[in-house]
Each structure stands twice: as C-alpha cells, then as structure tokens.
C-alpha cells in the first residue's frame, strides 16, 4: 500500500499521522513521490483499509498497491504520461514509429534508412554505435564515428536520433549526440547505469530484459524515475522461451498489462521479438492494434550484408508498406498515425 500525503501537510500533522500509524503497528518508509512525499507501507498487521487510511488527516489517497512503483504505477498517475522530445510525442495518442538499422555501419546505409523512415512517417532513427553482442568477436559498433554519422542522417531527414548506451562510461558521449538513450535488454538491470540515467535530462527507452518479469521491468524504470528523470518509454522486445525455433517470444498481452500497471508509454519491437524478417510485419500490425504507443523496427537496405541482426531486418520498401497499414489500423485503438 502507498499512502499519498496531502501536498500541503504540515510538520505537526505528519508527525501525528506517523505516530497514529505506528500505534496501529503500520511499518512504513517515507519517499519523495511525484507530487510530494508518500509513505510506502511495508507491514500492516491490523489490516487498515485504504478507506480507513484516507479518513486520516493529512492523507490525500491510499493506494492498494502491492508493489513499490512509487513513480511508475498507474495508480500514482491515472492519466498516461506524454513524453515530449523535439516536437515528437510518445504516449499522447499519436502512434510513434521508430526505425533504423540494428547497428550504424556507414553513411550510405544510414542515409538509405533515414530516407525510408522519413518516407514512412517515422519520427525516430534508431541505430546502435555501441552494440551489446553475445560474442566478443562480433561487430561491436563504430563508437563516436557511428554517432556522428547517425546524427547527420537524422538531421538531414528531420528525425530524432536514438542510440544505445551500454555503460556509464559511454553515457556522456552518447548523450552528447542522441535525443533518446536506449537501454538494451541485457542492461535492464544494470543498476549503476539506470541510476546515472536518472540524473540525465533526456528520454530513455528501456527494453524489457530477456527473462524479466513485468514487476522487474517496472522496478528498473523506477530506478530512472526516482532519480529525477520522468521521461521513460518502455519497450516490449520479446522474452526468451523454451522453443528455440524463434529468437524470442513476443509477449503482446504484456502491452495491455503494462498499460494497466503504469502510465509510461509502451512501444513494441517485433524485430528482436521474432528474429525473422518475414514475421516482423505481421507482428508489427498485431502490436499496432494491441494498444501499444508505437513500434521500434530494424530496417536495412541490404539485410544479407548487415553486420548485425540481418535476419530480422526488413527492407526500406517493407517499412513504407507498413506505414499504410498503420494508418488504417491504429484508429481502431484510438490512436492516430500521421501521413508521411
Ligand atoms: C537492439 O535494439 O539492437 C538490441 C540490442 O535490442 P535488445 O536489447 O532488445 O536485444
Ligand atoms: Mn538489433
């Protein structure tokens, strides 16, 4: 349970309230919440109900939350959060398309991707210059050179730049170039990185860990939010299953559940969720009507020659085809997707 204190509560009232709670055996800790302090109840042996707690002076609301999502929970923010970045919004009813290659490989590849993303009505050009690769012998990304190429391509096409940050050391350099910082699945519980991102004034796209529960996912977001950065976008990117025939398994029900649990925008990444390009468009269409706030897709002008994740990359023309489908589909769930 979370007790939201009246924003105008006086010191004496707070002390009286805390003494009353202590008298009923209610153990709690005080935390700064999004709109003033909250008390997170850790033990409630006398079974006080939210209604009983709300009748106490100084209590604005008592939320029957089973978890500690002081910042991430929908209970704390009944309205969905809208994240504004460079004239683009996430979570505001406009369906957001973010696409680009897995890794930045060179100027020609980024130009081809940016042209396609802009033509498809996308707003964000993705691409990693610091890549989390399973093998240390695989292409690791172009580093600073990649960030420069990426920035140039995004700017030429009026797109925002989203790039992955792998660790705290890279953060200043990636933040110097990128508009949105991506935290990959393998780093969802890199707590020092999450804490550092809490102190940054740029939106963060946080991807669900390979085997993370929704609760762990939201607690990872909570690290960033409680650090002072309220601009967190979640991304469902498939979870590991027992079946090796697909890279991951797309957990679309999770979009619905997450939208109930949290006010944060939720994107879906059908590229990593399937690992196979022919499955990406069908799953992208399914995600569009699941109530997701947008899509994150991998596209490449030459998937066979891609330095990473080629098998799941769609072609530029596929992306443009998808944009026509999105315009038709997203109104079904009360979203809009603008014409390119
Ligand atoms: C990526 O977006 O290229 C990536 C590495 O994704 P994930 O962290 O979801 O595996
Ligand atoms: Mn990838």
């Amino acid at each position: 349970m979370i007790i939201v204190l009246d924003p105008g509560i006086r010191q004496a009232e707070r002390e009286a309230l805390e003494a009353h709670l202590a008298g009923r055996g209610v153990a709690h800790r005080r935390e700064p919440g999004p709109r003033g302090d909250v008390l997170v109840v850790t033990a409630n042996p006398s079974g006080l109900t939210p209604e009983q707690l709300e009748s106490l002076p100084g209590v604005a609301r008592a939320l029957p939350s089973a978890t500690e999502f002081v910042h991430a929970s929908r209970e704390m923010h009944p309205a969905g959060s809208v994240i504004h970045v460079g004239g683009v919004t996430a979570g505001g009813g406009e369906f957001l398309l973010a696409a680009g290659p897995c890794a930045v490989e060179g100027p020609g590849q980024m130009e081809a991707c940016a042209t396609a993303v802009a033509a498809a009505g996308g707003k964000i050009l993705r691409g990693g210059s610091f890549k989390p690769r399973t093998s240390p012998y695989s292409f690791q990304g172009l580093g600073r050179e990649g960030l420069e190429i990426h920035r140039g391509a995004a700017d030429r096409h009026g797109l925002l730049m989203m790039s992955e940050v792998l660790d705290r050391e890279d953060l200043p350099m990636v933040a110097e170039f990128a508009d949105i910082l991506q935290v990959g699945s393998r780093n969802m519980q890199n707590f020092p990185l999450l804490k550092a991102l809490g102190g940054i004034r740029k939106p963060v796209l946080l991807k669900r860990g390979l085997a993370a529960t929704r609760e762990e996912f939201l607690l990872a977001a909570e690290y960033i939010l409680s650090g002072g950065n309220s601009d967190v976008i979640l991304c469902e990117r498939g979870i590991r299953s027992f079946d090796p025939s697909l890279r991951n398994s797309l957990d679309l029900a999770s979009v619905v559940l997450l939208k109930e649990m949290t006010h944060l925008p939720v994107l879906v990444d059908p590229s990593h969720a399937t690992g196979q390009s022919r499955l990406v468009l069908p799953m992208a269409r399914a995600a569009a009507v699941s109530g997701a706030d947008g899509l994150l897709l991998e596209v490449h002008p030459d998937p066979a020659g891609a330095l990473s994740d080629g098998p799941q990359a769609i072609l530029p023309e596929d992306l443009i085809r998808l944009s026509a489908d999105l315009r038709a589909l997203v109104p079904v769930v009360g979203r809009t997707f603008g014409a390119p």
Side-chain angles (χ1 to χ4, degrees), residues 101-102 126 131-132 164 182-186 207-208 210 237 247 269 272 296 298 309 312:
C102 179
R126 63 146 289 149
K131 293 303 303 174
E164 178 159 355
Q182 175 176 329
V183 176
S185 289
R186 290 154 192 81
K207 299 186 90 175
R208 182 175 178 187
L210 306 173
R237 46 78 72 204
R247 186 175 183 185
D269 170 354
H272 292 86
L296 177 63
E298 286 189 348
D309 283 351
Q312 68 194 32

Side-chain angles (χ1 to χ4, degrees), residues 239-249 273-274 276:
I239 47 175
R240 232 181 220 176
S241 89
F242 56 87
D243 186 341
S245 64
L246 279 183
R247 186 175 183 185
N248 290 296
S249 194
T274 60
Q276 297 181 25

Side-chain angles (χ1 to χ4, degrees), residues 106-118:
Q109 170 231 28
M110 287 310 280
E111 187 58 28
C113 289
T115 304
V117 175

Side-chain angles (χ1 to χ4, degrees), residues 283-323:
M283 291 302 99
R285 290 190 289 261
V289 291
S290 72
D293 296 295
L295 286 169
L296 177 63
L297 293 166
E298 286 189 348
V299 59
H300 198 291
D302 172 23
L307 297 181
S308 73
D309 283 351
Q312 68 194 32
I314 59 169
L315 290 163
E317 52 266 37
D318 295 331
L319 187 68
I320 292 166
R321 263 199 303 140
L322 174 67
S323 77

Side-chain angles (χ1 to χ4, degrees), residues 56-117:
L56 299 173
V59 174
R61 285 162 70 209
L63 308 170
S65 186
T67 56
E68 297 196 21
F69 311 140
V70 172
H71 294 264
S73 86
R74 170 79 71 179
E75 289 169 318
M76 294 297 286
H77 289 257
S81 277
V82 183
I83 292 168
H84 296 265
V85 46
V88 171
T89 55
E94 196 175 325
F95 193 79
L96 184 59
L97 179 61
C102 179
V104 176
E105 297 169 8
Q109 170 231 28
M110 287 310 280
E111 187 58 28
C113 289
T115 304
V117 175

Side-chain angles (χ1 to χ4, degrees), residues 110-198:
M110 287 310 280
E111 187 58 28
C113 289
T115 304
V117 175
K123 299 284 194 257
I124 298 171
L125 182 63
R126 63 146 289 149
S129 288
F130 293 91
K131 293 303 303 174
R133 303 306 301 279
T134 300
S135 165
Y137 307 114
S138 301
F139 176 60
Q140 303 285 312
L142 294 180
R144 174 177 275 272
E145 185 197 348
L147 295 172
E148 285 167 357
I149 294 169
H150 192 167
R151 184 75 260 172
D155 287 345
R156 276 192 300 283
H157 293 272
L159 299 168
L160 297 178
M161 167 179 172
M162 181 164 78
S163 190
E164 178 159 355
V165 54
L166 276 190
D167 64 30
R168 269 192 305 180
E169 261 173 52
D170 306 332
L171 180 53
M173 197 203 294
V174 180
E176 180 190 329
F177 289 93
D179 302 300
I180 302 170
L181 304 164
Q182 175 176 329
V183 176
S185 289
R186 290 154 192 81
N187 261 327
M188 190 204 83
Q189 287 188 318
N190 178 339
F191 300 118
L193 177 62
L194 299 177
K195 284 182 189 169
L197 288 163

